[in-house]
């Protein structure tokens, strides 16, 4: 289907600007009219993969030339592109799908353009992160996007250990061939009962949301290998407040407090700071004082 977008005046493309344009993550109908107008009105489109983006440009009838800008050539391309912007060309930056720079190339170009005073104009639209998050029913008031976890199991375990006490909802990108291992690592570290959702093939024909606990989701992925394909986002509930492990070094805290406060008061302040029971801290404070006293 070829749909040529009209260009209302307030969509007009201004010379010398870098447009960072979000594109659909599946459904082509999610391209905004403004994004379509920009992709038809700039002098050049930098695309992660020009063949992939050709389909989108054909959909809107854009004949704007494209240039590949990906992780392997971004460094060499940046200076020339910023020169063109400074000479007055309007350039659009897109990635294969979704919002550029989000686990996608473009950061170096935006940084270099900003450093030279080029106006950078975001044209917002789809991103797999919010598309998944807004439909799971997990808390959305605060969340942490963690991108792709490390592929190697040791580094992935360390990354997950660092997130154990995170109370915000967690959003991850994951590849189908790693999802079972990742869910296993998460269940072992975050606890089998944490709520989690697998959001697959968003906005596409076979879009699917599977919500369960980490342990159930692991069982489900193992039982349905045929469903473990395509693109996926994993959304995991945050650590409940009651389960947050204290990271406060209570001995050190008590020692500092005991230097200027009576034992009871030191234990009370330490309990407030660490969330640990006051009685236990009082006993510990007595032990520490005992250890310190010259016999
Ligand atoms: N910049 C993109 C964005 O804003 O959504 C993300 C690019 S990242 C390289 C690609 C990853 O995003 C995929 O591996 C998958 O985890 C997620 N993703 C992209 N499109 C998706 C879709 N339609 N359904 C589910 N996940 C998707």
């Amino acid at each position: 289907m070829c749909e040529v977008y009209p260009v209302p005046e307030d969509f007009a493309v201004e010379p010398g600007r870098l447009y960072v344009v979000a594109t659909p993550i599946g459904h082509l109908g999610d391209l905004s009219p403004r994004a379509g107008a920009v992709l038809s009105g700039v002098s050049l489109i930098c695309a992660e993969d020009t063949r992939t983006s050709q389909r989108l440009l054909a959909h809107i009838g854009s004949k704007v030339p494209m240039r590949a800008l990906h992780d392997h050539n971004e460094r060499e391309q940046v200076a020339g592109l910023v020169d063109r912007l400074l000479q007055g060309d309007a350039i659009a930056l897109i990635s294969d799908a979704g919002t550029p720079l989000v686990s996608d190339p473009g950061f170096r170009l935006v940084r270099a353009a900003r450093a030279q005073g080029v106006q950078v104009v975001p044209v917002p639209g789809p991103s797999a992160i919010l598309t998944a998050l807004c439909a799971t029913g997990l808390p959305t008031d605060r969340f942490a996007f963690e991108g792709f976890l490390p592929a190697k199991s040791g580094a992935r375990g360390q990354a997950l250990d660092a997130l154990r006490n995170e109370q915000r909802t967690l959003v991850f990108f994951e590849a189908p061939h790693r999802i079972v291992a990742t869910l296993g690592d998460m269940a072992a570290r975050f606890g089998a009962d944490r709520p989690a959702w697998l959001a697959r093939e968003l906005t596409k024909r076979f879009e699917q949301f599977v919500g369960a606990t980490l342990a159930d989701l692991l069982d489900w992925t193992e039982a349905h290998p045929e469903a473990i394909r395509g693109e996926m986002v994993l959304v995991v509930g945050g650590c409940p407040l009651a389960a947050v492990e204290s990271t406060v070094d209570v001995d050190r805290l008590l020692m500092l407090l005991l230097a200027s406060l009576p034992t009871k008061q030191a234990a009370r302040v330490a309990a407030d700071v660490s969330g640990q029971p006051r009685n236990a801290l009082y006993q510990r404070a007595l032990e520490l004082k005992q250890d310190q006293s010259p016999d």
Side-chain angles (χ1 to χ4, degrees):
M1 185 175 77
C2 176
E3 203 174 310
V4 179
Y5 282 96
V7 184
E9 216 170 280
D10 62 338
F11 289 180
V13 168
E14 301 289 338
R17 294 191 182 170
L18 175 62
Y19 292 86
V20 182
V21 183
T23 59
I25 55 170
H27 200 302
L28 287 180
D30 292 336
L31 186 79
S32 75
R34 182 169 171 234
V38 169
L39 294 179
S40 301
V42 289
S43 312
L44 176 72
I45 297 171
C46 292
E48 191 180 1
D49 181 333
T50 54
R51 271 184 310 181
T52 305
S53 296
Q54 191 50 54
R55 189 168 151 250
L56 180 70
L57 294 200
H59 172 71
I60 59 170
S62 167
K63 301 268 189 295
V64 173
M66 273 192 286
R67 182 188 292 187
L69 185 88
H70 43 67
D71 284 336
H72 305 292
N73 74 353
E74 189 175 349
R75 274 197 176 80
E76 303 98 75
Q77 293 281 333
V78 162
L81 289 167
V82 172
D83 276 350
R84 281 189 66 165
L85 287 160
L86 292 172
Q87 283 161 27
D89 279 346
I91 298 179
L93 169 68
I94 59 176
S95 60
D96 283 354
T99 301
L101 279 81
V102 176
S103 298
D104 267 340
F107 167 71
R108 291 186 187 90
L109 176 58
V110 171
R111 183 175 54 181
R114 283 282 185 204
Q116 293 299 318
V118 170
Q119 198 163 332
V120 180
V121 184
V123 183
S127 177
I129 303 165
L130 293 182
T131 308
L133 182 67
C134 71
T136 62
L138 288 172
T140 51
D141 48 344
R142 293 168 73 231
F143 69 92
F145 169 57
E146 287 293 321
F148 288 100
L149 284 164
K152 292 204 172 132
S153 135
R156 186 169 59 235
Q158 280 179 0
L160 292 175
D161 278 338
L163 292 170
R164 258 180 130 98
N165 287 328
E166 177 56 67
Q167 288 174 256
R168 292 171 292 178
T169 298
L170 296 164
V171 184
F172 302 89
F173 287 160
E174 194 45 287
H177 63 279
R178 277 199 291 269
I179 190 71
V180 172
T182 294
L183 286 169
D185 287 350
M186 284 182 176
R189 288 171 165 85
F190 296 167
D193 289 340
R194 275 272 192 114
W197 284 82
L198 188 64
R200 221 170 57 79
E201 295 289 88
L202 293 164
T203 77
K204 301 183 196 175
R205 189 161 166 223
F206 296 109
E207 177 178 275
Q208 184 180 33
F209 281 84
V210 187
T213 61
L214 280 171
D216 290 343
L217 202 50
L218 177 60
D219 288 348
W220 185 87
T221 48
E222 283 173 332
H224 296 87
E226 76 290 348
I228 305 309
R229 58 168 77 138
E231 295 190 286
M232 50 187 65
V233 179
L234 190 55
V235 187
V236 182
C239 181
L241 183 58
V244 172
E245 297 155 2
S246 174
T247 50
V248 177
D249 180 343
V250 283
D251 278 5
R252 194 169 134 66
L253 177 63
L254 280 171
M255 293 293 281
L256 288 170
L257 293 169
L258 284 170
S260 53
L261 292 176
T263 314
K264 246 189 182 166
Q265 242 178 301
R268 186 170 50 75
V269 175
D272 286 346
V273 172
S274 67
Q276 295 195 17
R278 196 187 300 183
N279 284 351
L281 290 176
Y282 180 70
Q283 287 309 320
R284 183 65 189 144
L286 292 177
E287 283 168 21
L288 290 171
K289 276 177 78 170
Q290 183 72 33
D291 289 350
Q292 283 224 311
S293 63
D295 329 270

